[in-house]
């Protein structure tokens, strides 16, 4: 009985620590990272582009739904300087996005200052509490 309770407790702890923020990341340097395989089967991030806009780096990416149902998502741009340090990461918030079945939507962001040379675009499923 004691073993059963221990196993159940461990199972609950592991479930409670499930990474609800895990999703997909695509970088302006071409890197793609998948933190949640089942989510990557529903969403992809493609066509990352960059340009200068008034001295600031502007980035965009295409978020694509691969499923026929509606998806509630969040996305976020993280900006990096030439040395790989994040720029004002605390000030950038997750933005909400709703995609209908098989819909694609381009999102864009503008770097917080002129030091940005690259970016990463993160997409995750939105969870409501």
């Amino acid at each position: 009985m004691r073993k059963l309770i221990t196993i159940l407790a461990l199972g609950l702890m592991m479930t409670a620590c499930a990474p609800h923020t895990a999703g997909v990341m695509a970088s302006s340097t071409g890197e793609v990272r998948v933190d949640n395989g089942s989510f990557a089967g529903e969403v992809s991030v493609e066509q990352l582009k960059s340009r200068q806009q008034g001295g600031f780096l502007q980035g965009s990416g295409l978020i694509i739904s691969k499923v026929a149902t509606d998806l509630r998502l969040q996305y976020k741009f993280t900006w990096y300087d030439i040395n790989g340090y994040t720029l004002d990461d605390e000030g950038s918030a997750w933005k909400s996005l709703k995609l209908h079945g098989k819909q694609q939507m381009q999102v864009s962001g503008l770097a917080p200052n002129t030091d940005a040379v690259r970016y990463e675009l993160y997409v995750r499923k939105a969870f409501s509490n």
Side-chain angles (χ1 to χ4, degrees), residues 10-11 17 23 42 54 56 63 66 110:
L10 278 172
C17 296
E42 298 177 354
F56 293 84
I63 301 175
K66 299 179 185 179
L110 190 64

Side-chain angles (χ1 to χ4, degrees), residues 7-83:
I7 290 171
L8 287 174
L10 278 172
L12 284 173
M13 284 190 292
M14 289 172 61
T15 305
C17 296
H20 292 285
T21 59
V24 176
M25 181 279 296
S27 170
S28 59
T29 60
E31 177 189 357
V32 175
R33 187 180 74 228
V34 175
D35 294 326
N36 183 328
S38 64
F39 178 69
E42 298 177 354
V43 173
S44 66
V45 180
E46 301 175 8
Q47 299 181 18
L48 268 65
K49 298 177 185 175
S50 302
R51 70 177 180 180
Q52 289 294 316
Q53 189 74 13
F56 293 84
L57 181 64
Q58 181 181 27
S60 69
L62 188 65
I63 301 175
I64 302 169
S65 168
K66 299 179 185 179
V67 296
T69 57
D70 290 353
L71 293 171
R72 293 189 183 280
L73 307 172
Q74 293 178 320
Y75 70 94
K76 177 181 176 178
F77 285 86
T78 300
W79 305 93
Y80 296 88
D81 69 12
I82 197 163
N83 296 312

Side-chain angles (χ1 to χ4, degrees), residues 105-123:
M105 188 167 294
Q106 184 177 21
V107 296
S108 63
L110 190 64
N113 61 48
T114 57
D115 293 334
V117 296
R118 69 178 185 88
Y119 67 92
E120 294 175 349
L121 173 57
Y122 294 86
V123 180

